[in-house]
Amino acid sequence: MNDFLVYLVTGLGAGCGFALVGSGIVVIHRVTRVVNFAQGAFAVIAGLTVSSLLGAGLPHFASEALAVVVAAVAGLLVGLLATGRRDTSPQSALIVTLGAGVLMYAVEIMIWGDQTRSSAGVPGAVHLLGARIQSHYLLIIGVTAVVFAAVALFFSRTDLGKALTACSANPYAARVVGIDTRRMGLVAFACGGALGGLAGVLLTPMQSVSFDSDVVLIVNGFAAAVLGGLARIGLSLAGGLLLGVAQALVAGYGNAAYQLEVALVLMLALMIAQGARTRSVVQETA
């Protein structure tokens, strides 16, 4: 039972990171219809940045906040590359995001090299029902809960959030009432970069990062986002938690080498289920 609690909490912590990456994918896709395959790179950039800033002697909060800002700026730049020209199709923009991800590989190697880096997290541990849980995992879970609540309030209560939602619901109607959908798309990319950056800041103390760590993050983040059909941010949280716990249990009771395969199988199963549901809805409508 003690082992199960440890696997559960560590899985929830990792799943929160996946959910943050996935929510960034959802925010961008809702507004622009673009699947951003550079999303994992934002987390890597933030993780590498925070490790450098902490190594330079900056305090924790300042280092982590600056790392998230750097990731948001990276997201904005990717948005400019992918959607900066009007009438760029979502398919073309998707290819651009893939190219931007490869470009960020080169930038990361040039700045930080190809060695893994980590950063200091919250020290210590707490005892829960006899199980020893690292305190940093509890921080990840708490921060993620606050962020998802703040994102929900942002989209439902603020003018900017409502403008982003309008672009998601009906881009043509949004343009008619004076909303600049291109500008909202850039805002969505910046928000996606910040969410991915926060994931990198939170996960780096538990999982060292290098220039190619984005592969695992984008696969897991995309799998989490698929649960909500790339449209519902709340379901990306549920998908990330489910995925994180499943991988932790597989690693704890089986073989850790199969963790990525769990994400791929879950993503494939969800896509097949959603495709079957969509076909049945179309048939009923017809």
Side-chain angles (χ1 to χ4, degrees), residues 39-281:
Q39 185 68 25
F42 302 151
V44 172
I45 285 176
L48 294 172
T49 299
V50 76
S51 69
S52 295
L53 294 177
L54 289 173
L58 268 69
H60 264 279
F61 182 78
S63 299
E64 289 144 3
L66 285 173
V68 172
V69 170
V70 169
V73 172
L76 179 61
L77 293 176
V78 171
L80 284 170
L81 289 173
T83 63
R85 295 183 61 184
R86 294 190 182 276
D87 301 323
T88 301
S89 68
Q91 293 79 12
S92 299
L94 183 151
I95 300 298
V96 173
T97 66
L98 285 170
V102 175
L103 176 62
M104 282 189 272
Y105 272 24
V107 173
E108 289 157 4
I109 292 174
M110 183 174 62
I111 297 174
W112 291 285
D114 60 355
Q115 300 301 311
T116 59
R117 288 175 174 252
S118 185
S119 61
V122 176
V126 298
H127 292 274
L128 179 65
L129 300 177
R132 188 174 183 274
I133 308 296
Q134 293 186 42
S135 300
H136 191 79
Y137 282 110
L138 300 179
L139 174 68
I140 294 174
I141 295 170
V143 169
T144 301
V146 171
V147 167
F148 270 85
V151 168
L153 290 173
F154 170 73
F155 278 102
S156 63
R157 300 293 179 87
T158 67
D159 291 339
L160 180 57
K162 291 177 181 178
L164 290 168
T165 302
C167 294
S168 171
N170 193 322
Y172 175 76
R175 287 194 295 269
V176 168
V177 299
I179 297 174
D180 188 337
T181 55
R182 177 173 168 271
R183 183 176 297 175
M184 291 300 103
L186 295 178
V187 171
F189 266 95
C191 290
L195 289 167
L198 181 60
V201 166
L202 292 173
L203 291 178
T204 298
M206 313 311 299
Q207 304 172 7
S208 298
V209 296
S210 64
F211 71 96
D212 58 351
S213 298
D214 66 311
V215 175
V216 173
L217 290 169
I218 189 60
V219 169
N220 286 292
F222 187 72
V226 163
L227 182 62
L230 300 179
R232 301 176 65 179
I233 295 174
L235 285 180
S236 68
L237 174 60
L241 296 180
L242 174 64
L243 188 59
V245 171
Q247 290 189 0
L249 293 177
V250 167
Y253 293 113
N255 190 332
Y258 296 122
Q259 286 181 302
L260 190 59
E261 283 75 4
V262 170
L264 293 172
V265 170
L266 179 62
M267 180 170 58
L268 181 60
L270 288 171
M271 292 176 71
I272 292 173
Q274 289 175 352
R277 185 169 65 248
T278 301
R279 285 194 299 271
S280 65
V281 170

